[in-house]
Amino acid sequence: MTTKTGMTRRGILLGTGAVLAATGLAGRATELWAAEPLKVAGIYTVPVEQQWVSRIHKAAEAAKAEGRVDYTFTENVANTDYPRVMREYAEQGYKLIVGEIFGVEQEAREVAADYPDVAFLLGSSFLQDDALPNLSVFDNYIQDASYLSGIIAGSMAKGNIGMVGGFPIPEVNRLMNAFMAGAKEVNPDISFQVSFIGSWFDPPKAKETAFAMIENGADLLYAERFGVSDAAMEKGILAIGNVIDTQADYPDTVVASAIWHFEPTFEKAVAEVMAGTFTAANYGVYSFMKEGGCSLAPLGTFEGKVPASALELVAAKEAAIKDGSFVVTVDDSEPKSS
């Protein structure tokens, strides 16, 4: 991105940093930038209670409660309206805009190019573009926790697991594939039914899809979407959650969940914007377990009900993931029924 003077924005930032360091004012500059809460806007295509988006919203709200950011948001934004809402927030002086652009990739990047002084942190299926230094991407790379939840599922299922997802895109596929790998770790003969409902938020459709899987022999369900756990509860079988912990709502149904913690991603972006060093990067790495970006939810009501051998394996694999001696494969290919 080049200014009218021919200098790149990144060059300006780096040059300013050098001057500050040379004059000993770097620390003071950070204090000044931190004096006012950072203006942050969230743009979401679904309600903020939807699993995935709720984690972004939760992290931003926590920072707002601490007085570090001035956060507002717009939910249920249609893809056709997304670029317009991006422009409106940019024009209003927001310095960091977060959201998800899976259905509006090209248009969103064009908007970002028009506002080089605004930082954009956007969920995307694609990587960052170094030619667009003010746009960073992220995704919920929580395959580590998904793998561990699969181990628990494999130890609790009788032989067939039903898996209901939104769309067969990388951010869904990698979690399903990791889950399936974990289940096979303890039960190599286990089989899967896999289906996608073509929506990010359609609990009735997800529930009906899950019912069909149960009719077809599924004895445990993987609830990538809302509605699946409702079907499991009504039919008296177990379920594994995804992204958020819903056990409080399904105490006799949801055994475990792979939890996404967006805080490391959000805090990194806020810090970079405040320091004037935000640039194009892949923030997906901050969702990894070793970065604190994901975890396995507490067993809660299922404490003492999961086989000890499975829990021992979970503990060993978790330790290995954190120390780097074991790496869960990131497999973005579409999972298939078996």
Side-chain angles (χ1 to χ4, degrees), residues 85-330:
V85 179
M86 288 176 67
R87 291 185 184 280
E88 289 177 353
Y89 277 127
E91 292 288 344
Q92 292 169 23
Y94 284 86
K95 296 302 181 183
L96 174 62
I97 295 176
V98 298
E100 13 86 49
I101 57 170
F102 300 105
V104 63
E105 294 278 358
Q106 184 59 40
E107 297 89 340
R109 291 169 189 263
E110 290 173 359
V111 173
D114 290 339
Y115 296 93
D117 294 325
V118 178
F120 294 87
L121 178 66
L122 302 171
S124 171
S125 293
F126 299 94
L127 293 177
Q128 74 278 10
D129 181 355
D130 291 337
L132 195 57
N134 62 319
L135 189 152
S136 285
V137 298
F138 70 88
D139 210 340
N140 61 328
Y141 281 87
I142 63 169
Q143 64 281 342
D144 299 329
S146 295
Y147 176 85
L148 299 181
S149 71
I151 292 175
I152 292 176
S155 73
M156 301 290 281
K158 297 176 182 177
N160 185 272
I161 297 177
M163 305 181 68
V164 181
F167 293 91
I169 59 175
E171 45 276 3
V172 174
N173 296 345
R174 72 175 65 105
L175 305 189
M176 285 188 161
N177 284 320
F179 173 88
M180 294 165 81
K184 289 179 180 178
E185 184 78 21
V186 294
N187 186 353
D189 298 324
I190 202 162
S191 59
F192 304 91
Q193 297 178 58
V194 180
S195 184
F196 299 92
I197 63 172
S199 172
W200 290 130
F201 196 73
D202 191 343
K205 188 173 183 179
K207 184 177 179 180
E208 288 303 315
T209 302
F211 277 147
M213 289 181 170
I214 295 170
E215 288 294 321
N216 198 38
D219 58 79
L220 184 146
L221 296 175
Y222 174 75
E224 199 272 327
R225 293 290 100 195
F226 276 158
V228 177
S229 293
D230 293 285
M233 180 174 65
E234 289 186 25
K235 294 297 184 178
I237 68 172
L238 302 177
I240 299 293
N242 178 59
V243 176
I244 62 175
D245 185 2
T246 57
Q247 192 184 78
D249 297 318
Y250 309 95
D252 300 316
T253 302
V254 176
V255 183
S257 300
I259 307 300
W260 184 26
H261 304 291
F262 192 70
E263 286 78 5
T265 304
F266 186 77
E267 295 298 334
K268 176 67 174 178
V270 169
E272 295 288 353
V273 175
M274 296 293 282
T277 55
F278 187 90
T279 191
N282 178 12
Y283 277 63
V285 296
Y286 300 109
S287 291
F288 283 38
M289 183 170 283
K290 64 181 181 180
E291 298 291 344
C294 66
S295 68
L296 194 62
L299 291 177
T301 55
F302 280 85
E303 195 72 49
K305 299 177 183 178
V306 177
S309 58
L311 295 182
E312 290 171 1
L313 181 58
V314 166
K317 291 294 186 180
E318 181 175 355
I321 289 169
K322 290 180 177 179
D323 69 22
S325 60
F326 176 71
V327 177
V328 176
T329 301
V330 176

